[in-house]
Amino acid sequence: MSEAALPVLIEPTAKPNERLRAALTAPMFVIGATILTIWIACAILGPSLVPYNPYADDLMNTLAPPSAAHWFGTDQIGRDIFSRVVVGARSILSVAPLATLLGTLVGTTLGLITGYFGGIIDTAISRLIEVLLALPLIIVALLALVALGPSNTTVIIVIGLIFAPLIARTVRAAVLTERELDYVAAAQLRGESSLHIMFVEILPNVMGPILVETTVRLGYAIFTVASLSFLGFGIQPPSADWGLAISENYELITGGYWWTVTFDAVAIASLVVAVNLIADGIQGAIE
Amino acid sequence: MTKQYDEFEQARRAANDMQNHVIDEFIAGRIDRRGLLRHGTAYGLSAALIGGALGAPRLARAAGKPNATIRVAITAPSTAVNPVTAGDTGSLCLLQQTGEFLLFDTPDLHLQPSLATSWSANPAGTIWTFKLRRGVKFHSGGTMTADDVVYSLARLADPKNGSNALSTFKGVLSPSGIVKKDDYTIVFHLDAPNGNFPYLVSSDNYNAIILPKGSDAATFEKTFDGTGPFKFDSYTPGRSATFVRNPDYWGKKALPARTEFGFYANQQSQILALQGGQVDLLQQIVVQGAQGLLNDPSVKIIKLRSSNHREVHMRCDMAPFTDKRVRQAVALTLNRPGIVQGLFRGLSDLGNDSPFAPVYPSTNKSVPQRAMNIAKAKHLLAEAGVKPGTQITLTTEQVQEIPDYAVLIQNAAAEIGLKINLKIETSSAYYGKATYGNSDWLDSQMGITDYGHRGVPNVFLSAPLLSNGAWNSAHFKNKTYDALVADYVATVDLQKQRIVSGKIETLLLDETPIIFAYFYDYLAASVPHMSGVQVSGLGQVFLQNATIA
């Protein structure tokens, strides 16, 4: 997983509201937000929207192609794929944001500490973070899940803790710049505690990069959750999870049963793209 | 029938009492042709004699071009190929490429001579005498004698070696019971009478290949030294194995000049390799994921009825399954014909909650088939005092159709108010250390386990169901059952076997420690112009007669 270097130049802007409005009404942002809203609606209202019980099998009607009765066709045990895709939004949209939130909280704290204190603390924690970043994300996640046993909670914790070092690095870079500014020196002269300076003085000034980083991470988290489900270590059957559905059915593609995989794959792609469009918009707004 | 009867009169004169009984069974119509072949050969009637009398087709050598190179896709062996400990589909297929057995169990489930030329039992079925073939050479040069057979089989029967064949030999054969009478005669003194013993030293027991005396099982994969029609060429762990024709083979020389086995991680890559022309034959396909292949005219499907199955165990010592009515209720929720149609496109027999698969001649078919009955299931559950919403955890492995089967069971049980939670894990996590207390397979409240084909039901009857069974994941302990199985195993007469199996089937239907919902067909796939391939329900692939036109 390659790391995109994020520009963290924060300049006091003359007309922030105008720029914000421009960024938030940009077509790409609107498209992203619309797609995300639709999926959030599916996640919340899904079970009451769908035409079939997404878990009910129908053994006399397995692998039926898309039709008026089953818009997205049926899977290997005759479940309605449309209903499953709609309901499947819920698991991914609860796990991925919580994992991202956890990663942001831990990462921001680490970033503030390393950036503000510097010296031996910075060196020690930064080297540790680099060690963690050197390991492929999915491998670390798999090892942790094998050790802890797969469940939604462990998926959230594992992804959150894996993302924390990435976020910490970004926050640290931003804090390094802030630390040298006069308002920090002033606070130190006033005798404020380090904790106060970090979280009350510096944090509000680095919220921009944190917000961007969080949104970008959310996109990665969605993809990671889906990947873990695909590998059988994430969300468990008979859940209508998208990654799981692809894992269960990808072998069928060569047999011509494309509908068992395509709609779930499109769902994952659309959600990741939507979140990234939103991240671009936010980044445009605060720069 | 008259003509055949006359021909059998000739066979009868040379036969002993037990053999004559099998002939009587056939003439009385109680066993069919397949059953006659199977049981006749088990009691040492010559297969050629029976075959000749019945006009049975000999295993035809295919009329294609010899000297082909046959490329086969098999499941990658999970560990080193060790003839003593191997138990996975990939390894067992490699073992029989160069190794041979005393007897060969054909796809029709009848025995043919291989390294042994004849075999017979005392009337009690406790002492079996096997005559060995002369002039058989190991690939390393030595001549095979009784010493090699004693060494190979005693090693498998010795509990100290952690042999995979112990599941077959435990309580049947001990190392000390294997006695060399002379260089070409072996006498087996069994721990208990066993009417099906010849099957246990046939290709049906895939570990029982005969290896040179003193050979080390741990380094087998460096030499693959055996007696078979092919000999070792190369082996790259995790990738491939190749074999070449053995010019010194004791029997008809193999038709292919060379065979190549590629190791594949999953069925999908195997199907792509077949469609892409990289391989000629797939060791095994399962309906799940190969639905598209079944109707493909450019692929030849090799189909074999088998005793391959899944066992759904319910812990008899763990609530709510301590009450047999709860176990019966779960079994009654399943729509078996629907499952067979949905999961296997109908390519499967129905199971009746006992190991007696319809393919076995000893199965008592007069025991009524269990069918779905939700009303009765609800009633049983209420009688047992189990409240709606009771939670159960079903643990199982991510293998073939099993996760889908688990979901079907979950949905079916929901009909009667049981809430089953699924825990689906990798096979290695599921089996764990495969000992009680260290294995989800053996410790879980409810689980689904994959069981491969066996030519006789003995292993299925004992290891997962006997009170002291090594694989008793249901923790089923029933003295009546134990006694019935001992009785069945000891019985050498088919008609009497069937009476006992009827009692076992009835008892298991009543107790239902394990749900046996289906016995699915073994399927393999090849290019359409290939012929002469013989597969077994275990995953063995015999290629000596294979040709590609």
Side-chain angles (χ1 to χ4, degrees), chain A residues 129-193:
Chain A
I129 286 175
E130 275 157 24
V131 169
L132 283 174
L133 291 180
L135 301 168
L137 183 141
I138 287 285
I139 305 280
V140 177
L142 284 183
L143 287 175
L145 283 169
V146 168
L148 298 173
S151 79
N152 284 355
T153 317
T154 43
V155 171
I156 291 169
I157 293 173
V158 165
I159 296 180
L161 294 185
I162 289 170
F163 280 178
L166 296 165
I167 295 166
R169 207 167 52 166
T170 308
V171 176
R172 174 180 170 273
V175 173
L176 283 180
T177 327
E178 293 293 317
R179 190 175 68 170
E180 309 303 329
L181 297 182
D182 289 346
Y183 75 90
V184 176
Q188 283 167 338
L189 285 174
R190 279 204 309 275
E192 301 285 5
S193 71

Side-chain angles (χ1 to χ4, degrees), chain B residues 347-403:
Chain B
L347 296 171
S348 170
D349 287 326
L350 293 187
N352 199 21
D353 296 339
S354 90
F356 284 99
V359 70
Y360 294 130
S362 60
T363 297
N364 188 326
K365 297 198 174 79
S366 68
V367 176
Q369 169 69 42
R370 177 171 266 163
M372 181 165 81
N373 189 336
I374 298 293
K376 190 175 171 195
K378 279 182 177 163
H379 183 68
L380 285 167
L381 215 53
E383 268 189 355
V386 173
K387 296 201 170 52
T390 298
Q391 307 241 355
I392 293 162
T393 301
L394 167 57
T395 310
T396 189
E397 42 178 342
Q398 198 133 30
V399 169
Q400 298 168 12
E401 88 294 351
I402 291 181

Side-chain angles (χ1 to χ4, degrees), chain A residues 46-129:
Chain A
S48 54
L49 292 178
V50 295
Y52 295 91
N53 175 350
Y55 302 104
D57 57 76
D58 179 1
L59 290 169
M60 292 301 123
N61 197 17
T62 60
L63 292 175
S67 65
H70 296 281
W71 298 346
F72 291 178
T74 63
D75 69 5
Q76 301 194 59
I77 56 174
R79 295 176 295 199
D80 180 54
I81 293 175
F82 175 74
S83 304
R84 291 181 68 76
V85 170
V86 169
V87 171
R90 181 175 290 184
S91 58
I92 206 159
L93 278 177
S94 51
V95 172
L98 284 175
T100 313
L101 191 68
L102 178 69
T104 307
L105 291 178
V106 176
T108 303
T109 309
L110 282 177
L112 284 169
I113 292 171
T114 52
Y116 178 71
F117 287 111
I120 184 83
I121 297 177
D122 181 26
T123 311
I125 297 182
S126 295
R127 291 300 90 79
L128 207 65
I129 286 175

